[in-house]
Amino acid sequence: MSDRKPLISGNWKMNLNHFEALKLVQELSYQVSVDDVEEVDVSLHPPFTDIRTVQTVLEADRLPFHLGAQHCHHEDSGAFTGEVSPAMLAKLNISYVLAGHSERREIFGESDALINLKVKAILKYEMTPILCCGETLEERDAGQAEAKVSGQIVAGLDGLTSEQVTNMVVAYEPIWAIGTGITASAEDAQGMCAVVRSTIAETFGADAAAGIRIQYGGSVKPNNAKELMSQPDIDGALVGGACLEADSFARIIQYRLAE
Ligand code: 13P
């Protein structure tokens, strides 16, 4: 058994206004106990407009969830209309920031080089990047999944130290499993997370590979979380749809209790 503490993250995507956010966080706090979070770290990634509200309730009620963001720019400030800087996020006591989610890559054209700048900017402000990677169905069918994912990892982590990588998080999210209800089999998810870990071992050494936490994402639900989480190279889950409801997200956080 590794001593990596699992990280279950809820990516709200572009859902819930700040009133709805407050309600969800409060409902979640009734269902998740302090004992649960001794076993797993939990992070919530609301839209920017909700972050201050969620921060306030987490701090006022001392709720045991880490605050996260879904995206940021890589500069500290400047003429970048519509963007939010890592410096601003750090001021809101954000712990984790997603970088290179496939929706950012595919819809907004983010390149590996840009994502690498974001990873460095997030680290500069002492937050933890969650670097996302994953292949399309066409790439999988063409036998290119491993090359795609290891290429994203090498490019996304370029220029980092082994120590920085040790404390980071990678999320492997096959694009064909996102929002489709089709989950990768535990075996396939494990195989790809093992590829991520061996890529990190080759580039940054054994300690970095042993320390970094690797999440699986893509249609994670209460009924499949336990099997996925029992795989040796899967250290957490990045959850989309199922995190928008307190009951289903709580049951994923409590995956150990599932039948
Ligand atoms: P779903 O859980 O809705 O498939 O989304 C996964 C995801 O993209 C999380 O970042």
Side-chain angles (χ1 to χ4, degrees):
M1 275 300 281
S2 85
D3 53 7
R4 296 182 293 270
K5 188 176 182 188
L7 172 66
I8 307 279
S9 302
N11 175 10
W12 299 10
K13 308 193 179 183
M14 197 173 73
N15 294 292
L16 308 184
N17 62 42
H18 70 289
F19 296 110
E20 295 163 335
L22 186 57
K23 182 162 170 276
L24 176 61
V25 174
Q26 281 171 336
E27 285 172 356
L28 199 57
S29 73
Y30 302 143
Q31 298 200 31
V32 176
S33 71
V34 173
D35 288 349
D36 293 330
V37 293
E38 268 178 22
E39 307 288 337
V40 289
D41 286 332
V42 177
S43 67
L44 309 177
H45 300 251
F48 289 136
T49 50
D50 300 355
I51 287 179
R52 176 68 176 150
T53 303
V54 174
Q55 182 211 6
T56 304
V57 67
L58 294 186
E59 292 180 4
D61 295 351
R62 299 214 174 92
L63 302 183
F65 309 127
H66 297 280
L67 189 53
Q70 301 173 18
H71 163 69
C72 66
H73 196 271
H74 59 277
E75 297 283 354
D76 290 349
S77 62
F80 302 104
T81 301
E83 290 292 298
V84 169
S85 78
M88 295 167 179
L89 296 178
K91 275 278 180 227
L92 291 159
N93 294 343
I94 296 262
S95 305
Y96 296 94
V97 187
L98 305 184
H101 190 281
S102 62
E103 287 150 18
R104 300 290 326 169
R105 294 177 187 263
E106 305 261 308
I107 305 170
F108 301 102
E110 290 189 4
S111 66
D112 281 327
L114 182 69
I115 292 159
N116 178 246
L117 291 176
K118 291 177 197 281
V119 167
K120 289 175 176 159
I122 295 162
L123 287 166
K124 177 178 162 194
Y125 285 93
E126 298 181 351
M127 300 178 289
T128 302
I130 300 180
L131 172 64
C132 304
C133 59
E135 80 286 358
T136 63
L137 193 55
E138 294 70 44
E139 289 162 341
R140 168 152 286 257
D141 289 345
Q144 295 164 353
E146 297 187 7
K148 167 85 179 286
V149 164
S150 50
Q152 287 176 322
I153 295 299
V154 169
L157 301 179
D158 186 45
L160 269 54
T161 66
S162 296
E163 200 188 348
Q164 286 173 316
V165 172
T166 304
N167 296 309
M168 268 188 59
V169 181
V170 164
Y172 166 65
E173 297 201 302
I175 295 171
W176 46 272
I178 295 178
T180 57
I182 302 166
T183 317
S185 67
E187 204 180 15
D188 284 345
Q190 159 58 27
M192 290 301 292
C193 290
V195 167
V196 171
R197 204 175 299 284
S198 63
T199 303
I200 287 164
E202 280 160 30
T203 323
F204 296 97
D207 287 352
I212 193 166
R213 291 184 289 180
I214 304 174
Q215 299 176 310
Y216 167 80
S219 299
V220 176
K221 307 287 177 206
N223 65 3
N224 58 30
K226 187 177 189 178
E227 194 190 1
L228 289 161
M229 292 295 294
S230 66
Q231 305 303 314
D233 286 300
I234 299 182
D235 310 313
L238 181 53
V239 183
C243 80
L244 295 173
E245 228 204 283
D247 184 61
S248 55
F249 194 48
R251 285 191 289 139
I252 292 171
I253 293 166
Q254 296 155 348
Y255 64 89
R256 284 180 177 72
L257 308 176
E259 308 258 295

